[in-house]
Every structure is written in structure tokens, then in C-alpha cells.
Amino acid sequence: KMNVESFNLDHTKVVAPYIRLVGVTTGTNGDKVYKYDLRFCQPNQEHMEMPGLHSLEHLMAELIRNHLDNVLDIGPMGCQTGFYLSILNNDSFEEVTLAFEKTLLDVLIATEVPACNEVQCGWAASHSLSDAQQIAEQMLAKKHSWPNVFSE
Ligand code: HCS
């Protein structure tokens, strides 16, 4: 049975925001998938509302791929406190952090949410660009604490 790493993380001990390498999975040909926990909100104390979270997902999904190769997915956690980022064959925490910062800066100046229509999205009515930008701004303001999972 495969282990769900996140279920073994003590969510009462972490101090958001932070960027945490969840794990590395090596395929049979040696390719490596790096999975990150991008935690925006303190678990069980705050969360992102769905429209802003959803728009932030669309914006980051498009924009982070301009700054980082081999992004497999950036997708929201069901608890609405953060996102998972999975990338292929890039072991650099610094590169990921820099790309994430550039992505959030791009979000601040975005004028529309990509793909927020019924052809390209499964819940096109649930979007908010201004909420997404507010979340990005708050996250950027705490950039100093991103590398620290268990402290400020
Ligand atoms: N989370 C997806 C986009 C879904 S709308 C991705 O590819 O990063």
C-alpha cells in the first residue's frame, strides 16, 4: 500500500507560509519527480475561499510554466490551505522558489484569469482575480519565511 506522506505530517506543528519538499519519486528509467507542498495558510486556522484559490490555480498553472521547465502539475489541496507542485528532473529548491516568486509577481499584474470559461474549466463561475491577487500579495509579503516549515 502506498503511503500518503501528507497524512504523516503533523499539521499542528507547521508554521505557514512555507515551501516543503514532500518527496522524490524515481521512475524505472531514473527520471525523478519532485513534489512540493506550497503552504499559503496556517492549517486549521485560515484557508483560501474557493473562487480566489481556483483563479490562483489557473494563473499559476499557466505562469509558472514560463519560469520552470517540466512542471507536471500545480494543483490545490482539498483543505484549501495550499497547493502541490510536481516537477520532473529538477532538484533545485532555489530554482523552484525563484520561479514561484516570479509566478506570484506575474499574478499581481495579470488582467484576466486564463481559461475561466465553460469550455476550458469545470466550474467556470467560481473565479475571482482580485481574491487571487490578494492571496499572492500576502504570500509574497512573507517570502522570508518560505524555507522554514516549522518556524517563522
Ligand atoms: N493544475 C493543473 C491545471 C488545472 S486547471 C495543472 O496542469 O497545473
Side-chain angles (χ1 to χ4, degrees):
K1 180 158 152 255
M2 287 285 278
N3 189 32
V4 180
E5 191 276 349
S6 176
F7 294 170
N8 298 321
L9 175 73
D10 187 342
H11 287 70
T12 69
K13 299 283 194 291
V14 300
V15 182
Y18 63 77
I19 299 175
R20 182 178 71 93
L21 179 64
V22 173
V24 186
T25 304
T26 306
T28 50
N29 294 313
D31 289 305
K32 290 183 193 300
V33 176
Y34 295 78
K35 180 178 174 181
Y36 288 90
D37 162 357
L38 309 175
R39 194 73 61 155
F40 285 65
C41 300
Q42 186 61 30
N44 299 297
Q45 290 183 26
E46 45 187 19
H47 66 270
M48 293 169 269
E49 296 301 335
M50 203 56 224
L53 173 76
H54 189 191
S55 292
L56 189 57
E57 182 206 14
H58 278 222
L59 286 157
M60 293 197 301
E62 183 165 274
L63 297 167
I64 201 167
R65 287 168 167 95
N66 298 332
H67 300 299
L68 200 58
D69 291 335
N70 298 338
V71 172
L72 303 179
D73 182 41
I74 183 163
M77 298 174 180
C79 59
Q80 298 170 226
T81 66
F83 291 82
Y84 286 112
L85 169 67
S86 295
I87 60 170
L88 184 67
N89 293 332
N90 184 339
D91 68 354
S92 172
F93 184 89
E94 286 68 31
E95 271 184 41
V96 167
T97 301
L98 190 61
F100 179 54
E101 182 187 359
K102 288 178 181 169
T103 299
L104 293 179
L105 289 168
D106 289 347
V107 168
L108 296 186
I109 57 166
T111 54
E112 59 180 27
V113 178
C116 62
N117 59 73
E118 292 190 7
V119 174
Q120 294 177 282
C121 176
W123 192 10
S126 180
H127 279 283
S128 170
L129 175 61
S130 59
D131 283 8
Q133 288 174 325
Q134 196 180 348
I135 296 165
E137 197 174 347
Q138 289 167 354
M139 188 64 171
L140 282 164
K142 295 199 168 172
K143 197 183 84 177
H144 62 276
S145 84
W146 291 355
N148 307 322
V149 178
F150 297 104
S151 62
E152 288 281 328

